[in-house]
């Protein structure tokens, strides 16, 4: 039986930093039992967001489409989301203030959490990376081709995870969130946002099922020589 507390992590941020953008993991082979997540696609062909069992591919041309289970992923974090707590915020708060407040609501910041923020935002700034071709550049160069977008006065959903500091490198420490608008027409990896009138729900995820790739590109990657703090900041904002 599926354990609700488990967070399934396919590969790591460290591998993305070194340009491991290909995988043999089909989304169709890992989605079962999960209804929530974020991630990316082979060749970094867009950003993934999923909640309520619906998963989407957000591409650099600004489009959004339902995820094709035959696509493969070099990085994703999936779970079954059963909120432990749902809170409302009905005043404007910047990302910094909101996340400070939210972290104070978590029972501990020493665990992983799935987080969903839904409602009206004054602003959401996103990016979607453009598809990369071989030989793959490190992600810090790949993001130079990203398309940035600012949504103003927008309704939609932010979904993602809180990762404790020690998980930096497996995932992104702090809040890593993706966005899709209410019409399911666009979104991306979130750089910045200001909430206006939202509900936020979260669930602690004390079990991590980490699946490292067994591909040659992963085995041969140089994961030792990266400045994790600086490079993840450049790549993920
Ligand atoms: Zn992201």
């Amino acid at each position: 039986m599926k354990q609700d507390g488990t967070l399934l992590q396919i590969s790591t941020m460290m591998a993305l930093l070194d340009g491991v953008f290909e995988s043999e993991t089909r989304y169709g082979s890992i989605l079962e039992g999960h209804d929530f997540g974020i991630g990316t696609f082979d060749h970094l062909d867009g950003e993934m967001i999923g909640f309520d069992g619906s998963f989407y591919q957000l591409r650099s041309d600004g489009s959004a489409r339902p995820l094709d289970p035959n696509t493969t992923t070099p990085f994703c974090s999936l779970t079954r989301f059963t909120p432990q707590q749902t809170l409302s915020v009905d005043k404007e708060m910047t990302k910094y203030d909101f996340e400070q407040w939210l972290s104070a609501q978590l029972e501990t910041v020493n665990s992983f959490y799935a987080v969903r923020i839904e409602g009206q935002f004054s602003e959401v700034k996103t990016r979607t990376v453009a598809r990369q071709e071989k030989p793959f550049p490190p992600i810090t160069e790949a993001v130079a081709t990203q398309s940035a977008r600012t949504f103003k006065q927008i309704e939609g959903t932010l979904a993602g995870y809180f990762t404790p500091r020690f998980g930096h490198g497996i995932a992104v420490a702090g809040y890593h969130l993706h966005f899709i608008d209410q019409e399911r027409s666009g979104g991306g990896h979130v750089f910045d946002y200001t909430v206006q009138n939202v509900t936020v729900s979260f669930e602690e995820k004390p079990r991590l099922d980490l699946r490292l790739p067994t591909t040659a590109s992963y085995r041969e990657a140089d994961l030792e020589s990266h400045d994790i703090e600086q490079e993840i900041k450049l790549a993920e904002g």
Side-chain angles (χ1 to χ4, degrees), residues 131-150:
R131 181 185 164 90
Q132 303 293 308
E133 299 304 335
K134 282 182 168 177
F136 295 131
I139 197 169
T140 48
E141 289 171 33
V143 294
T145 63
Q146 68 193 5
S147 58
R149 197 166 163 191
T150 301

Side-chain angles (χ1 to χ4, degrees), residues 38-39 47 127 176-178 189-190 236:
I38 57 172
E47 313 281 342
R127 73 102 201 274
H176 180 188
L177 301 166
H178 288 182
H189 170 91
V190 173
E236 305 298 318

Side-chain angles (χ1 to χ4, degrees), residues 5-237:
T6 302
L7 170 52
L8 172 62
Q9 177 61 47
I10 301 298
S11 194
T12 65
M13 265 313 298
M14 279 303 303
L16 284 190
L17 286 186
D18 202 58
V20 183
F21 301 158
E22 277 185 322
S23 153
E24 291 168 342
T25 305
R26 283 174 61 252
Y27 268 111
S29 73
I30 51 175
L31 284 178
E32 196 187 334
H34 303 116
D35 61 5
F36 182 96
I38 57 172
T40 186
F41 295 85
D42 265 28
H43 293 242
L44 294 190
D45 190 12
E47 313 281 342
M48 189 279 276
I49 182 171
F51 47 87
D52 293 336
S54 296
F55 293 85
Y56 302 90
Q57 181 175 15
L58 309 161
R59 302 189 69 218
S60 61
D61 61 3
S63 68
R65 62 188 184 193
L67 180 150
D68 173 353
N70 288 315
T71 52
T72 47
T73 177
F75 177 93
C76 80
S77 318
L78 294 172
T79 196
R80 177 178 286 280
F81 186 44
T82 310
Q84 289 169 321
Q85 213 175 334
T86 300
L87 303 166
S88 293
V89 171
D90 61 2
K91 63 170 184 178
E92 268 201 354
M93 285 174 94
T94 62
K95 172 181 189 286
Y96 179 83
D97 289 342
F98 179 79
E99 291 181 357
Q100 291 282 108
W101 169 80
L102 180 55
S103 291
Q105 312 307 311
L106 306 178
E107 280 184 30
T108 173
V109 290
N110 297 333
S111 193
F112 294 80
Y113 289 83
V115 178
R116 174 174 177 170
I117 308 161
E118 190 159 71
Q120 183 73 29
F121 298 83
S122 314
E123 187 176 271
V124 181
K125 289 184 176 176
T126 66
R127 73 102 201 274
T128 44
V129 177
R131 181 185 164 90
Q132 303 293 308
E133 299 304 335
K134 282 182 168 177
F136 295 131
I139 197 169
T140 48
E141 289 171 33
V143 294
T145 63
Q146 68 193 5
S147 58
R149 197 166 163 191
T150 301
F151 297 84
K152 298 265 189 195
Q153 290 302 328
I154 186 83
E155 220 177 306
T157 301
L158 266 59
Y161 296 92
F162 173 84
T163 296
R165 176 58 49 186
F166 66 78
H168 205 46
I170 296 174
V172 180
Y175 295 91
H176 180 188
L177 301 166
H178 288 182
F179 173 73
I180 190 166
D181 64 358
Q182 188 63 37
E183 287 71 41
R184 312 295 185 240
S185 63
H189 170 91
V190 173
F191 276 131
D192 198 10
Y193 60 89
T194 301
V195 304
Q196 200 169 55
N197 193 345
V198 298
T199 58
V200 52
S201 45
F202 52 86
E203 182 191 14
E204 188 179 343
K205 293 290 173 187
R207 290 197 190 93
L208 183 64
D209 178 357
L210 174 60
R211 301 192 191 170
L212 298 176
T214 53
T215 55
S217 63
Y218 177 77
R219 288 169 179 275
E220 289 156 14
D222 170 15
L223 305 186
E224 299 294 329
S225 64
H226 292 271
D227 179 340
I228 304 184
E229 291 290 335
Q230 195 202 357
E231 292 182 31
I232 292 183
K233 190 163 177 45
L234 268 172
E236 305 298 318

